[in-house]
Amino acid sequence: MAAMRTHITEHDLRHHGDAEVRDGGDGLTDLAVNVRAGTPPDWLRERIAASLAGLAAYPDGRAARAAVAGRHGLPVERVLLTAGAAEAFVLLARALSFRHPVVVHPQFTEPEAALRDAGHEVHRVLLRPEDGFRLDPAAVPSEADLVVVGNPTNPTSVLHPRGVLAALARPGRTLVVDEAFMDAVPGEREGLAGRTDVPGLVVLRSLTKTWGLAGLRIGYVLAEPPVVAALSRAQPLWPVSTPALVAAEACVSPRALAEAEEAAHRLAADRAHLVAGLGEFEEVRVVEAAEGPFVLVRMAGAAAVRAHLRGLGFLARRGDTFPGLGPEWLRLAVRDRSTTNRFLQALDQALTLTSG
C-alpha cells in the first residue's frame, strides 16, 4: 500500500455540505450535511433555552471545561473549549509555528484552508481509493512537523486504527487527529481522546454533529498543557457563548454519553442498510469500510446524478472539492431506513435519467 505526495492544486476548500441546503434546498431531504437528524433532543433544547436567562453575565467556561476533562479522564489544563472544532484549526495555524505542515487527504478541508490563510505552505499526502483510503504511516514525510488526519475521516468514512495514527507521532512533531465524528462510532473504538502517552498529540472533538448544534458552535481541543495555553492566548476573550458552554456540559454527562452510544449503534445498522442498498446498483461503487455517519460513493456522471437527485427531492454532497477526489464522487449522509429506501428509489430514477 502506498500514498501519493503531491503539490497543491486548487480546490474549493471553503465549500461545505451546508451550501446545498442554503442554495434553495429548503424542503428537500438533506443527505449533504452530516449532522444527525432529529437533533438536538428536547432535553438538550430545554437546557440551552434555560441558559438564556443568564445572558447578561459574561460566559464562565470553568464548569464546562471541568466536565469535558472529567469525561476523558484528563486534567483541565489539557482541555480548551472552542467555537466548534473549526475554530481549533484556525488557532493551530496561527498560534503554533510549523516548517513542514502535512495534511492527509481526502479529509475535511478546513485544516488546510486555515493553514494556508495563516501563510503556511501545505504539503499533501493523498490516500488512494485502490487502497481503500487507508493510511500507511510511511507515506508521511519524515520532515513533517505537523500532521493533520481525520478519524473517522470525512468524507471517506474510514476509521484508521489508533496504532497506525500513534505511529505517526515523534519528537518535534504535532499530530492533530480530528475526531469530530468519533462519538458516532460504537464504543469510540480507535479513539485517541484521553491518551497522554502519545507525544505531540492534539485531538479535536466536535459536539455539533451528534447533537445537532452546528448553529451553536461548540467543540474542544485535548492536548498537552503548553499547547492548550498557546491556543488559548490566540483566542479572543469569551470565545464560547454561555448557551454553548451549557450545551458542552450537558453533552458530556452520563445521560448524554449513553444516548450517543445508543445512537451510534442505531447508526451502524442504518449505514449497513444503506450500503447494502447501494450495492444493488452496478453503476455505484461504495467505500465499504465506512464507519462514520456518511458513506462515500463513486459513479460515472455523478454531477448529473446529483442534479437529478435534487430534482427528485434529495441533496447529496459533491466530492470534487476534496483533494484526492474527482467529479465522480458523492458523499451521502446516513439516515433512517425509511428515508434510505426512498432515497434508493430516487437514485434508481436518477441513474436511469443520467444513462438515458
Side-chain angles (χ1 to χ4, degrees):
M1 180 174 68
M4 179 172 59
R5 303 174 194 172
T6 181
H7 65 281
I8 298 299
T9 55
E10 290 303 318
H11 289 78
D12 184 0
L13 300 179
R14 296 295 188 187
H15 181 89
H16 301 297
D18 64 310
E20 305 290 343
V21 182
R22 291 198 314 269
D23 297 340
D26 292 344
L28 304 183
T29 299
D30 180 13
L31 305 184
V33 175
N34 294 320
V35 173
R36 182 163 64 103
T39 53
D42 289 342
W43 65 265
L44 182 54
R45 292 176 189 267
E46 292 167 4
R47 287 282 297 273
I48 295 170
S51 75
L52 301 181
L55 292 186
Y58 285 95
D60 182 350
R62 288 176 295 178
R65 188 183 185 196
V68 170
R71 181 255 195 270
H72 293 289
L74 296 171
V76 293
E77 293 80 13
R78 282 182 167 266
V79 177
L80 180 71
L81 303 176
T82 58
E87 186 203 8
F89 293 121
V90 175
L91 296 175
L92 287 162
R94 295 181 179 178
L96 305 181
S97 298
F98 306 107
R99 298 182 306 278
H100 195 100
V102 168
V103 178
V104 179
H105 285 289
Q107 80 151 351
F108 184 47
T109 53
E110 201 62 33
E112 180 173 317
L115 286 164
R116 292 172 67 176
D117 287 348
H120 297 282
E121 181 182 355
V122 180
H123 304 265
R124 293 175 179 168
V125 169
L126 300 183
L127 306 185
R128 306 189 307 174
E130 53 266 39
D131 297 327
F133 295 109
R134 297 198 175 277
L135 174 63
D136 179 358
V140 176
S142 60
E143 63 269 25
D145 55 358
L146 169 70
V147 179
V148 183
V149 61
N151 202 39
T153 306
N154 172 21
T156 65
S157 206
V158 169
L159 183 67
H160 303 291
R162 70 180 74 186
V164 169
L165 296 180
L168 291 171
R170 61 188 60 192
R173 171 182 289 178
T174 299
L175 171 61
V176 177
V177 182
D178 176 9
E179 293 189 352
F181 295 101
M182 188 59 76
D183 59 355
V185 177
E188 296 193 359
R189 68 185 193 282
E190 313 304 346
L192 290 172
R195 292 277 295 270
T196 60
D197 60 329
V198 181
L201 176 65
V202 177
V203 174
L204 308 184
R205 285 289 183 106
S206 170
L207 296 173
T208 65
K209 314 298 185 183
T210 289
W211 297 109
L213 299 175
L216 195 60
R217 311 309 307 142
I218 179 63
Y220 54 88
V221 177
L222 306 175
E224 297 167 351
V227 173
V228 167
L231 300 183
S232 178
R233 288 192 293 270
Q235 281 184 309
L237 289 172
W238 311 291
V240 181
S241 70
T242 295
L245 292 171
V246 167
E249 190 173 356
C251 290
V252 297
S253 67
R255 171 186 179 174
L257 296 180
E259 183 175 323
E261 181 69 8
E262 180 182 349
H265 283 279
R266 189 166 56 248
L267 168 74
D270 289 340
R271 184 181 57 242
H273 181 68
L274 172 60
V275 170
L278 292 169
E280 296 295 319
F281 297 97
E282 62 180 25
E283 305 97 325
V284 179
R285 295 291 178 268
V286 185
V287 179
E288 294 193 11
E291 296 281 357
F294 45 87
V295 297
L296 184 65
V297 299
R298 188 177 198 172
M299 65 188 77
V305 171
R306 176 171 154 267
H308 288 310
L309 283 172
R310 190 181 186 93
L312 294 165
F314 290 87
L315 300 174
R317 170 66 158 91
R318 56 189 282 202
D320 61 336
T321 62
F322 293 99
L325 301 182
E328 71 276 20
W329 294 93
L330 296 176
R331 191 192 68 197
L332 305 169
V334 176
R335 301 296 185 227
D336 62 87
R337 292 192 175 204
S338 176
T339 301
T340 292
N341 290 340
R342 291 189 293 106
F343 165 71
L344 293 171
Q345 292 176 343
L347 178 60
D348 189 27
Q349 297 179 57
L351 289 168
T352 300
L353 290 169
T354 301
S355 62

